[in-house]
């Protein structure tokens, strides 16, 4: 029987040895990696001189891991900046909720893709539970949006009735106010 099928076998995530170096040496490695004229072997030799035995392949894996991490951080930062823009300019709960949900779903999808091999140990019940929670979150968002839209429409109808009642002697003004209100409502739901 293979280790994969053995229930007592637990796969542990390996951490790169460079992450456990003293901070000063880790910073030195990071700076050396920025200089493309310095090879992984040069960095490995430097660390050996400093009393730390780290292979060039470990340095290479560390460089790849930190590059991937930096890329993910930049992507996340860009998404958060977009979320802040939505919040700042729209002041729209629906837009803000949608942007936050998209970021969350994207990050969750990314995380699932990164830990795919660890999902082998995830019981089917837990996977189903996670999918149900995501579905409920979407259903709740849709229900909240529908309720909010309904409230807006009732408030709009009430506004029109009040405008017609209060300003009936000024039909041109009433028509202009209703036209502006119609345009505003159209913008509200054009997304």
């Amino acid at each position: 029987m293979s280790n994969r099928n053995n229930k007592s076998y637990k796969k542990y995530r390996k951490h790169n040895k460079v992450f456990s170096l003293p901070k000063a040496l880790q910073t030195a490695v990071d700076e050396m990696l920025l200089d493309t004229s310095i090879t992984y072997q040069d960095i490995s030799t430097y660390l050996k001189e400093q009393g730390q035995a780290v292979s060039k392949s470990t340095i290479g894996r560390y460089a790849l891991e930190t590059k991937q991490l930096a890329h993910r951080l930049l992507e996340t930062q860009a998404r958060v900046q977009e979320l802040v823009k939505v919040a700042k300019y729209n002041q729209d709960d629906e837009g803000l909720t949608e942007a936050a949900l998209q970021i969350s779903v994207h990050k969750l999808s990314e995380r699932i893709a990164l830990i795919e091999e660890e999902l082998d140990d995830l019981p089917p019940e837990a996977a189903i539970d996670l999918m149900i929670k995501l579905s409920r979150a979407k259903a709740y968002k849709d229900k909240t949006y529908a309720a909010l839209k309904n409230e807006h429409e009732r408030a709009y109808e009430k506004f029109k009735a009040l405008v017609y009642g209060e300003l009936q002697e000024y039909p041109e003004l009433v028509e202009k106010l209703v036209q502006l209100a119609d345009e505003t409502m159209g913008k509200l739901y054009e997304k």
Side-chain angles (χ1 to χ4, degrees), residues 13-57:
R13 179 174 284 186
K14 295 178 182 173
H15 294 285
N16 194 299
K17 192 173 182 179
V18 178
F19 287 112
S20 61
L21 290 174
K23 202 65 171 164
L25 283 178
Q26 191 175 346
T27 302
V29 169
D30 291 339
E31 289 172 2
M32 293 170 91
L33 286 170
L34 293 174
D35 184 347
T36 56
S37 67
I38 299 174
T39 67
Y40 296 155
Q41 183 61 53
D42 295 337
I43 296 170
S44 178
T45 303
Y46 166 78
L47 289 172
K48 191 170 189 171
E49 291 168 358
Q50 301 301 314
Q52 302 288 336
V54 180
S55 70
K56 69 178 183 179
S57 60

Side-chain angles (χ1 to χ4, degrees), residues 122-136:
L122 186 67
E125 300 84 21
I128 292 169
D129 187 49
L130 182 60
M131 289 189 290
I132 289 170
K133 286 177 181 176
L134 286 172
S135 296
R136 283 183 183 158

